[in-house]
C-alpha cells in the first residue's frame, strides 16, 4: 500500500468514526426529548404551572385566593404538582415540599389546610 492509500483509509475511518459519534449523540438527545418529564409543566404566559390532579388544582386555586388576602403573602403563589412517583408536591416559588407540614411559613400551612377543608365540605 502506498502512503496515499493509507492516508485515504485513515480519513475514511476518521469520517466513519465521527458519523458514528454523531448518530449516538443525536439518538441520545432524541430519547431524552421524547421521555416524559416528571414535573410536566403547562405554560401560562411568563410563568408555568405544574400538572396535578383536578382536585389538587382546585385546592391550589383556593390556597392562592386565601394567600392573596394575607398581608405580606399577596404575591406568594402556591403550585401543586404530581411527582414522578405519583405523590403530591407543593411548590412555593422554587422550593418543593412533599407535605404541608414541611412548609416553613405557618400562614401558608394554615391556608393549605383551610383550602383542603373547604374543598372537602
Amino acid at each position: 500500500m502506498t502512503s496515499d492509500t493509507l492516508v485515504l483509509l485513515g480519513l475514511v475511518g476518521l469520517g466513519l468514526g465521527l458519523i458514528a459519534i454523531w448518530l449516538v449523540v443525536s439518538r441520545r438527545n432524541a430519547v431524552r426529548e421524547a421521555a416524559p418529564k416528571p414535573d410536566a409543566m403547562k405554560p401560562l404566559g411568563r410563568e408555568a404551572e405544574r400538572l396535578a390532579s383536578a382536585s389538587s388544582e382546585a385546592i391550589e386555586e383556593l390556597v392562592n385566593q386565601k394567600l392573596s388576602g394575607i398581608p405580606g403573602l399577596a404575591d406568594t403563589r402556591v403550585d401543586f404538582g404530581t411527582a414522578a412517583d405519583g405523590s403530591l408536591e407543593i411548590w412555593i416559588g422554587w422550593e418543593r415540599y412533599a407535605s404541608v407540614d414541611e412548609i416553613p411559613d405557618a400562614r401558608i400551612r394554615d391556608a393549605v389546610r383551610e383550602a383542603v377543608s373547604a374543598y372537602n365540605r
Side-chain angles (χ1 to χ4, degrees):
M1 275 193 219
T2 66
S3 64
D4 289 340
T5 305
L6 289 176
V7 169
L8 183 60
L9 286 174
L11 289 175
V12 168
L14 178 63
L16 290 174
L18 290 173
I19 290 171
I21 290 170
W22 176 79
L23 287 172
V24 168
V25 169
S26 63
R27 172 73 177 142
R28 183 178 302 152
N29 288 340
V31 168
R32 187 176 301 139
E33 289 171 8
K37 306 295 186 267
D39 58 339
M41 306 281 276
K42 55 185 177 186
L44 292 175
R46 61 186 175 86
E47 293 186 14
E49 167 79 11
R50 286 172 181 77
L51 299 179
S53 69
S55 58
S56 294
E57 294 292 336
I59 294 168
E60 171 188 308
E61 182 62 30
L62 292 172
V63 171
N64 286 316
Q65 286 174 4
K66 287 182 179 298
L67 293 178
S68 69
I70 299 173
L73 292 178
D75 293 332
T76 301
R77 186 169 178 281
V78 173
D79 186 15
F80 291 169
T82 303
D85 66 359
S87 64
L88 178 69
E89 294 180 326
I90 304 167
W91 289 82
I92 302 169
W94 294 106
E95 295 297 319
R96 180 182 61 86
Y97 305 97
S99 76
V100 177
D101 295 329
E102 291 180 7
I103 299 171
D105 191 314
R107 299 171 300 169
I108 299 173
R109 281 195 313 267
D110 292 343
V112 172
R113 288 185 178 118
E114 289 170 17
V116 170
S117 257
Y119 181 81
N120 286 329
R121 281 187 221 139

Short mmCIF file of all heavy atoms in Angstrom, two decimals, residues 48-114:
data_model
loop_
_atom_site.label_atom_id
_atom_site.label_comp_id
_atom_site.label_asym_id
_atom_site.label_seq_id
_atom_site.Cartn_x
_atom_site.Cartn_y
_atom_site.Cartn_z
N ALA A 48 -45.15 29.21 34.67
CA ALA A 48 -45.51 27.86 34.26
C ALA A 48 -46.26 27.21 35.41
O ALA A 48 -46.07 27.55 36.57
CB ALA A 48 -44.25 27.07 33.92
N GLU A 49 -47.09 26.27 35.07
CA GLU A 49 -47.93 25.58 36.04
C GLU A 49 -47.57 24.11 36.01
O GLU A 49 -47.57 23.49 34.96
CB GLU A 49 -49.39 25.80 35.64
CG GLU A 49 -50.38 24.92 36.33
CD GLU A 49 -50.70 25.39 37.74
OE1 GLU A 49 -50.32 26.50 38.12
OE2 GLU A 49 -51.31 24.60 38.47
N ARG A 50 -47.28 23.54 37.17
CA ARG A 50 -47.03 22.10 37.25
C ARG A 50 -48.37 21.39 37.18
O ARG A 50 -49.36 21.88 37.70
CB ARG A 50 -46.30 21.78 38.55
CG ARG A 50 -44.86 22.21 38.49
CD ARG A 50 -44.17 22.08 39.84
NE ARG A 50 -42.81 22.52 39.73
CZ ARG A 50 -42.45 23.80 39.69
NH1 ARG A 50 -43.33 24.74 39.75
NH2 ARG A 50 -41.18 24.12 39.57
N LEU A 51 -48.38 20.22 36.56
CA LEU A 51 -49.61 19.47 36.40
C LEU A 51 -49.92 18.66 37.65
O LEU A 51 -49.03 18.08 38.26
CB LEU A 51 -49.51 18.54 35.19
CG LEU A 51 -49.28 19.24 33.86
CD1 LEU A 51 -49.17 18.20 32.75
CD2 LEU A 51 -50.40 20.22 33.56
N ALA A 52 -51.18 18.64 38.04
CA ALA A 52 -51.64 17.87 39.18
C ALA A 52 -53.06 17.43 38.88
O ALA A 52 -53.66 17.83 37.88
CB ALA A 52 -51.58 18.70 40.46
N SER A 53 -53.63 16.62 39.76
CA SER A 53 -55.00 16.15 39.56
C SER A 53 -55.96 17.33 39.62
O SER A 53 -55.64 18.40 40.14
CB SER A 53 -55.35 15.13 40.64
OG SER A 53 -55.45 15.78 41.90
N ALA A 54 -57.17 17.12 39.11
CA ALA A 54 -58.17 18.19 39.09
C ALA A 54 -58.50 18.66 40.50
O ALA A 54 -58.64 19.87 40.74
CB ALA A 54 -59.43 17.70 38.38
N SER A 55 -58.59 17.75 41.45
CA SER A 55 -58.90 18.15 42.82
C SER A 55 -57.74 18.96 43.42
O SER A 55 -57.97 19.96 44.11
CB SER A 55 -59.21 16.93 43.70
OG SER A 55 -58.13 16.03 43.70
N SER A 56 -56.51 18.56 43.15
CA SER A 56 -55.35 19.32 43.64
C SER A 56 -55.32 20.71 43.02
O SER A 56 -55.00 21.69 43.71
CB SER A 56 -54.05 18.59 43.31
OG SER A 56 -53.97 17.39 44.03
N GLU A 57 -55.66 20.81 41.75
CA GLU A 57 -55.69 22.11 41.08
C GLU A 57 -56.77 23.00 41.71
O GLU A 57 -56.57 24.20 41.88
CB GLU A 57 -55.93 21.96 39.58
CG GLU A 57 -54.80 21.28 38.83
CD GLU A 57 -53.52 22.09 38.77
OE1 GLU A 57 -53.57 23.33 38.88
OE2 GLU A 57 -52.45 21.49 38.60
N ALA A 58 -57.92 22.42 42.04
CA ALA A 58 -58.99 23.20 42.68
C ALA A 58 -58.56 23.70 44.06
O ALA A 58 -58.80 24.86 44.42
CB ALA A 58 -60.26 22.35 42.78
N ILE A 59 -57.91 22.84 44.82
CA ILE A 59 -57.42 23.24 46.15
C ILE A 59 -56.34 24.30 46.00
O ILE A 59 -56.30 25.28 46.76
CB ILE A 59 -56.93 22.01 46.95
CG1 ILE A 59 -58.12 21.08 47.25
CG2 ILE A 59 -56.21 22.43 48.22
CD1 ILE A 59 -57.72 19.73 47.77
N GLU A 60 -55.46 24.12 45.03
CA GLU A 60 -54.41 25.12 44.77
C GLU A 60 -55.02 26.49 44.51
O GLU A 60 -54.54 27.50 45.04
CB GLU A 60 -53.59 24.67 43.56
CG GLU A 60 -52.60 25.69 43.04
CD GLU A 60 -51.98 25.24 41.73
OE1 GLU A 60 -51.47 24.12 41.65
OE2 GLU A 60 -52.03 26.06 40.79
N GLU A 61 -56.08 26.54 43.74
CA GLU A 61 -56.75 27.80 43.45
C GLU A 61 -57.29 28.43 44.73
O GLU A 61 -57.16 29.64 44.95
CB GLU A 61 -57.87 27.59 42.43
CG GLU A 61 -58.58 28.87 42.04
CD GLU A 61 -57.68 29.88 41.36
OE1 GLU A 61 -56.72 29.49 40.68
OE2 GLU A 61 -57.94 31.08 41.54
N LEU A 62 -57.90 27.62 45.59
CA LEU A 62 -58.41 28.12 46.88
C LEU A 62 -57.27 28.67 47.74
O LEU A 62 -57.42 29.72 48.37
CB LEU A 62 -59.15 27.01 47.62
CG LEU A 62 -60.48 26.55 47.02
CD1 LEU A 62 -60.99 25.31 47.76
CD2 LEU A 62 -61.50 27.67 47.06
N VAL A 63 -56.15 27.96 47.78
CA VAL A 63 -55.00 28.41 48.57
C VAL A 63 -54.52 29.76 48.07
O VAL A 63 -54.31 30.70 48.85
CB VAL A 63 -53.84 27.38 48.52
CG1 VAL A 63 -52.58 27.96 49.15
CG2 VAL A 63 -54.23 26.09 49.19
N ASN A 64 -54.37 29.90 46.76
CA ASN A 64 -53.86 31.15 46.21
C ASN A 64 -54.83 32.30 46.42
O ASN A 64 -54.41 33.44 46.64
CB ASN A 64 -53.49 30.97 44.73
CG ASN A 64 -52.20 30.18 44.59
OD1 ASN A 64 -51.24 30.41 45.30
ND2 ASN A 64 -52.19 29.22 43.68
N GLN A 65 -56.13 32.01 46.40
CA GLN A 65 -57.11 33.05 46.72
C GLN A 65 -56.96 33.49 48.18
O GLN A 65 -57.00 34.68 48.48
CB GLN A 65 -58.53 32.53 46.48
CG GLN A 65 -58.89 32.42 45.02
CD GLN A 65 -60.25 31.78 44.81
OE1 GLN A 65 -60.98 31.46 45.75
NE2 GLN A 65 -60.60 31.57 43.55
N LYS A 66 -56.79 32.53 49.08
CA LYS A 66 -56.61 32.86 50.50
C LYS A 66 -55.35 33.68 50.71
O LYS A 66 -55.35 34.67 51.44
CB LYS A 66 -56.56 31.60 51.35
CG LYS A 66 -57.89 30.91 51.50
CD LYS A 66 -57.76 29.70 52.40
CE LYS A 66 -59.09 29.02 52.60
NZ LYS A 66 -60.10 29.86 53.25
N LEU A 67 -54.26 33.28 50.07
CA LEU A 67 -52.98 33.99 50.24
C LEU A 67 -53.05 35.41 49.70
O LEU A 67 -52.40 36.31 50.24
CB LEU A 67 -51.85 33.23 49.55
CG LEU A 67 -51.47 31.88 50.15
CD1 LEU A 67 -50.35 31.23 49.33
CD2 LEU A 67 -51.07 32.00 51.61
N SER A 68 -53.85 35.63 48.66
CA SER A 68 -53.93 36.98 48.08
C SER A 68 -54.52 37.99 49.05
O SER A 68 -54.30 39.19 48.90
CB SER A 68 -54.74 36.95 46.78
OG SER A 68 -56.11 36.68 47.06
N GLY A 69 -55.23 37.52 50.07
CA GLY A 69 -55.79 38.42 51.06
C GLY A 69 -54.99 38.56 52.33
O GLY A 69 -55.40 39.25 53.26
N ILE A 70 -53.84 37.91 52.40
CA ILE A 70 -53.00 37.97 53.60
C ILE A 70 -51.86 38.96 53.37
O ILE A 70 -51.07 38.78 52.43
CB ILE A 70 -52.43 36.57 53.95
CG1 ILE A 70 -53.57 35.59 54.24
CG2 ILE A 70 -51.47 36.66 55.13
CD1 ILE A 70 -53.11 34.15 54.43
N PRO A 71 -51.78 40.01 54.21
CA PRO A 71 -50.68 40.98 54.04
C PRO A 71 -49.31 40.28 54.06
O PRO A 71 -49.05 39.43 54.90
CB PRO A 71 -50.85 41.91 55.25
CG PRO A 71 -52.28 41.77 55.65
CD PRO A 71 -52.66 40.35 55.32
N GLY A 72 -48.50 40.65 53.10
CA GLY A 72 -47.16 40.07 53.01
C GLY A 72 -47.11 38.78 52.19
O GLY A 72 -46.04 38.32 51.83
N LEU A 73 -48.27 38.19 51.90
CA LEU A 73 -48.29 36.95 51.11
C LEU A 73 -49.08 37.10 49.82
O LEU A 73 -49.27 36.12 49.09
CB LEU A 73 -48.88 35.80 51.93
CG LEU A 73 -48.05 35.33 53.12
CD1 LEU A 73 -48.79 34.22 53.88
CD2 LEU A 73 -46.69 34.84 52.67
N ALA A 74 -49.55 38.31 49.54
CA ALA A 74 -50.39 38.53 48.36
C ALA A 74 -49.69 38.12 47.06
O ALA A 74 -50.34 37.68 46.12
CB ALA A 74 -50.83 39.99 48.29
N ASP A 75 -48.38 38.24 47.01
CA ASP A 75 -47.63 37.87 45.80
C ASP A 75 -47.09 36.44 45.86
O ASP A 75 -46.43 36.00 44.92
CB ASP A 75 -46.47 38.83 45.58
CG ASP A 75 -46.95 40.23 45.23
OD1 ASP A 75 -48.05 40.35 44.65
OD2 ASP A 75 -46.23 41.20 45.53
N THR A 76 -47.35 35.73 46.93
CA THR A 76 -46.88 34.35 47.06
C THR A 76 -47.82 33.44 46.29
O THR A 76 -49.03 33.53 46.41
CB THR A 76 -46.85 33.93 48.54
OG1 THR A 76 -45.97 34.81 49.24
CG2 THR A 76 -46.36 32.49 48.70
N ARG A 77 -47.24 32.55 45.51
CA ARG A 77 -48.04 31.63 44.70
C ARG A 77 -47.68 30.21 45.08
O ARG A 77 -46.51 29.83 45.05
CB ARG A 77 -47.76 31.86 43.22
CG ARG A 77 -48.64 31.05 42.32
CD ARG A 77 -48.50 31.52 40.88
NE ARG A 77 -49.30 30.72 40.01
CZ ARG A 77 -48.96 29.51 39.57
NH1 ARG A 77 -47.82 28.99 39.92
NH2 ARG A 77 -49.76 28.83 38.79
N VAL A 78 -48.69 29.44 45.43
CA VAL A 78 -48.52 28.02 45.73
C VAL A 78 -48.92 27.24 44.49
O VAL A 78 -49.92 27.55 43.85
CB VAL A 78 -49.39 27.61 46.94
CG1 VAL A 78 -49.35 26.11 47.16
CG2 VAL A 78 -48.91 28.33 48.20
N ASP A 79 -48.13 26.24 44.16
CA ASP A 79 -48.39 25.43 42.98
C ASP A 79 -48.30 23.96 43.38
O ASP A 79 -47.30 23.54 43.95
CB ASP A 79 -47.35 25.76 41.90
CG ASP A 79 -47.62 25.08 40.58
OD1 ASP A 79 -48.74 24.57 40.36
OD2 ASP A 79 -46.70 25.05 39.74
N PHE A 80 -49.35 23.20 43.12
CA PHE A 80 -49.34 21.77 43.38
C PHE A 80 -48.91 21.05 42.11
O PHE A 80 -49.30 21.44 41.01
CB PHE A 80 -50.72 21.26 43.79
CG PHE A 80 -51.19 21.74 45.14
CD1 PHE A 80 -52.49 21.55 45.54
CD2 PHE A 80 -50.34 22.36 46.03
CE1 PHE A 80 -52.94 21.97 46.78
CE2 PHE A 80 -50.76 22.79 47.28
CZ PHE A 80 -52.07 22.60 47.65
N GLY A 81 -48.14 20.01 42.27
CA GLY A 81 -47.72 19.21 41.13
C GLY A 81 -47.69 17.74 41.51
O GLY A 81 -47.77 17.39 42.69
N THR A 82 -47.59 16.91 40.51
CA THR A 82 -47.50 15.47 40.73
C THR A 82 -46.07 15.03 40.52
O THR A 82 -45.48 15.28 39.46
CB THR A 82 -48.44 14.71 39.76
OG1 THR A 82 -49.77 15.20 39.95
CG2 THR A 82 -48.40 13.22 40.03
N ALA A 83 -45.49 14.39 41.54
CA ALA A 83 -44.11 13.90 41.45
C ALA A 83 -44.06 12.68 40.54
O ALA A 83 -45.09 12.10 40.18
CB ALA A 83 -43.60 13.55 42.85
N ALA A 84 -42.86 12.27 40.18
CA ALA A 84 -42.68 11.12 39.31
C ALA A 84 -43.30 9.86 39.89
O ALA A 84 -43.79 9.00 39.15
CB ALA A 84 -41.19 10.90 39.04
N ASP A 85 -43.32 9.74 41.22
CA ASP A 85 -43.90 8.55 41.85
C ASP A 85 -45.40 8.68 42.07
O ASP A 85 -46.03 7.81 42.66
CB ASP A 85 -43.19 8.24 43.17
CG ASP A 85 -43.41 9.32 44.23
OD1 ASP A 85 -44.09 10.33 43.95
OD2 ASP A 85 -42.88 9.15 45.35
N GLY A 86 -46.00 9.79 41.61
CA GLY A 86 -47.44 9.98 41.74
C GLY A 86 -47.86 10.74 42.99
O GLY A 86 -49.03 11.06 43.15
N SER A 87 -46.92 11.04 43.87
CA SER A 87 -47.27 11.76 45.10
C SER A 87 -47.42 13.25 44.80
O SER A 87 -46.98 13.75 43.77
CB SER A 87 -46.20 11.53 46.17
OG SER A 87 -44.97 12.07 45.74
N LEU A 88 -48.02 13.95 45.74
CA LEU A 88 -48.25 15.39 45.60
C LEU A 88 -47.00 16.16 45.99
O LEU A 88 -46.35 15.85 46.99
CB LEU A 88 -49.42 15.82 46.48
CG LEU A 88 -49.75 17.31 46.46
CD1 LEU A 88 -50.32 17.72 45.11
CD2 LEU A 88 -50.72 17.65 47.57
N GLU A 89 -46.67 17.17 45.21
CA GLU A 89 -45.60 18.10 45.54
C GLU A 89 -46.24 19.47 45.72
O GLU A 89 -47.16 19.84 44.99
CB GLU A 89 -44.59 18.21 44.40
CG GLU A 89 -43.81 16.96 44.15
CD GLU A 89 -42.83 17.14 43.00
OE1 GLU A 89 -43.13 17.87 42.04
OE2 GLU A 89 -41.76 16.53 43.09
N ILE A 90 -45.76 20.21 46.69
CA ILE A 90 -46.23 21.57 46.91
C ILE A 90 -45.06 22.49 46.63
O ILE A 90 -44.01 22.37 47.26
CB ILE A 90 -46.74 21.76 48.36
CG1 ILE A 90 -47.83 20.74 48.67
CG2 ILE A 90 -47.22 23.19 48.57
CD1 ILE A 90 -48.17 20.63 50.14
N TRP A 91 -45.23 23.38 45.67
CA TRP A 91 -44.17 24.30 45.28
C TRP A 91 -44.53 25.71 45.73
O TRP A 91 -45.64 26.18 45.49
CB TRP A 91 -43.98 24.29 43.77
CG TRP A 91 -43.38 23.04 43.25
CD1 TRP A 91 -44.02 21.85 43.00
CD2 TRP A 91 -42.02 22.81 42.97
NE1 TRP A 91 -43.13 20.92 42.56
CE2 TRP A 91 -41.89 21.48 42.52
CE3 TRP A 91 -40.88 23.62 43.03
CZ2 TRP A 91 -40.67 20.95 42.15
CZ3 TRP A 91 -39.67 23.08 42.66
CH2 TRP A 91 -39.58 21.74 42.22
N ILE A 92 -43.60 26.36 46.39
CA ILE A 92 -43.73 27.76 46.75
C ILE A 92 -42.48 28.43 46.19
O ILE A 92 -41.38 28.22 46.69
CB ILE A 92 -43.85 27.95 48.27
CG1 ILE A 92 -45.05 27.16 48.80
CG2 ILE A 92 -43.96 29.44 48.61
CD1 ILE A 92 -45.13 27.06 50.30
N GLY A 93 -42.67 29.19 45.13
CA GLY A 93 -41.52 29.71 44.39
C GLY A 93 -40.76 28.54 43.80
O GLY A 93 -41.33 27.67 43.17
N TRP A 94 -39.47 28.48 44.08
CA TRP A 94 -38.64 27.38 43.57
C TRP A 94 -38.41 26.29 44.61
O TRP A 94 -37.63 25.37 44.38
CB TRP A 94 -37.30 27.92 43.06
CG TRP A 94 -37.48 28.80 41.88
CD1 TRP A 94 -37.37 30.16 41.85
CD2 TRP A 94 -37.82 28.42 40.55
NE1 TRP A 94 -37.63 30.64 40.60
CE2 TRP A 94 -37.91 29.58 39.78
CE3 TRP A 94 -38.07 27.20 39.94
CZ2 TRP A 94 -38.23 29.57 38.42
CZ3 TRP A 94 -38.40 27.19 38.59
CH2 TRP A 94 -38.47 28.36 37.85
N GLU A 95 -39.08 26.40 45.75
CA GLU A 95 -38.92 25.41 46.82
C GLU A 95 -40.02 24.36 46.73
O GLU A 95 -41.19 24.68 46.59
CB GLU A 95 -38.97 26.08 48.19
CG GLU A 95 -37.83 27.04 48.45
CD GLU A 95 -36.47 26.36 48.46
OE1 GLU A 95 -36.35 25.25 49.01
OE2 GLU A 95 -35.52 26.94 47.91
N ARG A 96 -39.62 23.09 46.85
CA ARG A 96 -40.56 21.97 46.77
C ARG A 96 -40.72 21.35 48.14
O ARG A 96 -39.74 21.13 48.86
CB ARG A 96 -40.05 20.90 45.80
CG ARG A 96 -40.98 19.71 45.66
CD ARG A 96 -40.41 18.66 44.73
NE ARG A 96 -39.16 18.12 45.20
CZ ARG A 96 -39.05 17.10 46.06
NH1 ARG A 96 -40.11 16.52 46.54
NH2 ARG A 96 -37.87 16.66 46.43
N TYR A 97 -41.96 21.05 48.49
CA TYR A 97 -42.27 20.40 49.76
C TYR A 97 -43.11 19.16 49.47
O TYR A 97 -44.01 19.18 48.63
CB TYR A 97 -43.04 21.36 50.68
CG TYR A 97 -42.29 22.65 50.91
CD1 TYR A 97 -42.57 23.79 50.16
CD2 TYR A 97 -41.26 22.72 51.85
CE1 TYR A 97 -41.86 24.97 50.35
CE2 TYR A 97 -40.55 23.89 52.04
CZ TYR A 97 -40.85 25.01 51.28
OH TYR A 97 -40.14 26.16 51.46
N ALA A 98 -42.81 18.08 50.19
CA ALA A 98 -43.52 16.82 49.99
C ALA A 98 -44.78 16.73 50.85
O ALA A 98 -45.61 15.87 50.62
CB ALA A 98 -42.60 15.64 50.27
N SER A 99 -44.89 17.61 51.83
CA SER A 99 -46.09 17.61 52.67
C SER A 99 -46.34 19.01 53.20
O SER A 99 -45.44 19.86 53.22
CB SER A 99 -45.93 16.64 53.85
OG SER A 99 -45.09 17.18 54.83
N VAL A 100 -47.56 19.24 53.64
CA VAL A 100 -47.94 20.54 54.21
C VAL A 100 -47.08 20.84 55.43
O VAL A 100 -46.67 21.99 55.65
CB VAL A 100 -49.44 20.54 54.57
CG1 VAL A 100 -49.83 21.85 55.23
CG2 VAL A 100 -50.28 20.28 53.34
N ASP A 101 -46.78 19.83 56.22
CA ASP A 101 -46.01 20.04 57.45
C ASP A 101 -44.60 20.56 57.19
O ASP A 101 -43.98 21.13 58.09
CB ASP A 101 -45.94 18.74 58.25
CG ASP A 101 -47.31 18.30 58.75
OD1 ASP A 101 -48.16 19.18 59.00
OD2 ASP A 101 -47.52 17.08 58.87
N GLU A 102 -44.07 20.36 56.00
CA GLU A 102 -42.72 20.83 55.67
C GLU A 102 -42.68 22.33 55.34
O GLU A 102 -41.60 22.92 55.33
CB GLU A 102 -42.16 20.06 54.47
CG GLU A 102 -41.87 18.61 54.75
CD GLU A 102 -41.31 17.90 53.52
OE1 GLU A 102 -41.04 18.56 52.49
OE2 GLU A 102 -41.14 16.68 53.58
N ILE A 103 -43.82 22.93 55.05
CA ILE A 103 -43.86 24.34 54.67
C ILE A 103 -43.46 25.19 55.88
O ILE A 103 -44.08 25.10 56.93
CB ILE A 103 -45.26 24.74 54.17
CG1 ILE A 103 -45.62 23.92 52.92
CG2 ILE A 103 -45.33 26.23 53.87
CD1 ILE A 103 -47.05 24.07 52.46
N PRO A 104 -42.43 26.02 55.76
CA PRO A 104 -41.92 26.75 56.93
C PRO A 104 -42.84 27.86 57.43
O PRO A 104 -42.86 28.15 58.62
CB PRO A 104 -40.59 27.33 56.44
CG PRO A 104 -40.64 27.28 54.96
CD PRO A 104 -41.59 26.20 54.58
N ASP A 105 -43.63 28.47 56.57
CA ASP A 105 -44.49 29.59 56.97
C ASP A 105 -45.84 29.05 57.45
O ASP A 105 -46.60 28.46 56.68
CB ASP A 105 -44.68 30.54 55.80
CG ASP A 105 -45.34 31.85 56.20
OD1 ASP A 105 -46.36 31.81 56.94
OD2 ASP A 105 -44.86 32.90 55.77
N ALA A 106 -46.15 29.27 58.72
CA ALA A 106 -47.39 28.76 59.32
C ALA A 106 -48.62 29.32 58.62
O ALA A 106 -49.64 28.64 58.51
CB ALA A 106 -47.43 29.09 60.80
N ARG A 107 -48.53 30.56 58.13
CA ARG A 107 -49.69 31.15 57.45
C ARG A 107 -50.01 30.41 56.16
O ARG A 107 -51.18 30.20 55.84
CB ARG A 107 -49.43 32.63 57.16
CG ARG A 107 -49.19 33.47 58.42
CD ARG A 107 -48.72 34.86 58.09
NE ARG A 107 -47.45 34.79 57.35
CZ ARG A 107 -46.89 35.82 56.74
NH1 ARG A 107 -47.47 37.00 56.77
NH2 ARG A 107 -45.74 35.68 56.10
N ILE A 108 -48.98 29.97 55.45
CA ILE A 108 -49.20 29.21 54.21
C ILE A 108 -49.71 27.82 54.56
O ILE A 108 -50.64 27.31 53.92
CB ILE A 108 -47.92 29.15 53.36
CG1 ILE A 108 -47.50 30.57 52.95
CG2 ILE A 108 -48.13 28.27 52.14
CD1 ILE A 108 -46.16 30.64 52.25
N ARG A 109 -49.12 27.19 55.58
CA ARG A 109 -49.61 25.87 56.03
C ARG A 109 -51.09 25.94 56.37
O ARG A 109 -51.88 25.09 55.95
CB ARG A 109 -48.83 25.39 57.25
CG ARG A 109 -47.49 24.80 56.98
CD ARG A 109 -46.93 24.03 58.17
NE ARG A 109 -47.03 24.73 59.44
CZ ARG A 109 -46.09 25.51 59.96
NH1 ARG A 109 -44.95 25.69 59.32
NH2 ARG A 109 -46.26 26.10 61.13
N ASP A 110 -51.47 26.98 57.13
CA ASP A 110 -52.87 27.13 57.52
C ASP A 110 -53.77 27.36 56.31
O ASP A 110 -54.88 26.82 56.24
CB ASP A 110 -53.03 28.29 58.51
CG ASP A 110 -52.38 27.99 59.86
OD1 ASP A 110 -52.11 26.80 60.15
OD2 ASP A 110 -52.15 28.95 60.63
N ALA A 111 -53.29 28.15 55.35
CA ALA A 111 -54.08 28.40 54.14
C ALA A 111 -54.32 27.11 53.36
O ALA A 111 -55.42 26.87 52.85
CB ALA A 111 -53.39 29.45 53.26
N VAL A 112 -53.30 26.26 53.29
CA VAL A 112 -53.45 24.98 52.59
C VAL A 112 -54.45 24.10 53.34
O VAL A 112 -55.36 23.52 52.73
CB VAL A 112 -52.09 24.26 52.43
CG1 VAL A 112 -52.28 22.85 51.88
CG2 VAL A 112 -51.15 25.05 51.54
N ARG A 113 -54.31 24.02 54.64
CA ARG A 113 -55.23 23.19 55.43
C ARG A 113 -56.67 23.69 55.32
O ARG A 113 -57.61 22.92 55.19
CB ARG A 113 -54.77 23.14 56.88
CG ARG A 113 -53.52 22.30 57.06
CD ARG A 113 -53.13 22.15 58.53
NE ARG A 113 -51.96 21.31 58.64
CZ ARG A 113 -50.80 21.71 59.15
NH1 ARG A 113 -50.66 22.93 59.62
NH2 ARG A 113 -49.77 20.88 59.21
N GLU A 114 -56.86 25.01 55.38
CA GLU A 114 -58.20 25.59 55.25
C GLU A 114 -58.78 25.31 53.87
O GLU A 114 -59.98 25.03 53.75
CB GLU A 114 -58.15 27.09 55.51
CG GLU A 114 -57.89 27.46 56.96
CD GLU A 114 -57.62 28.95 57.14
OE1 GLU A 114 -57.94 29.74 56.23
OE2 GLU A 114 -57.09 29.32 58.21
#
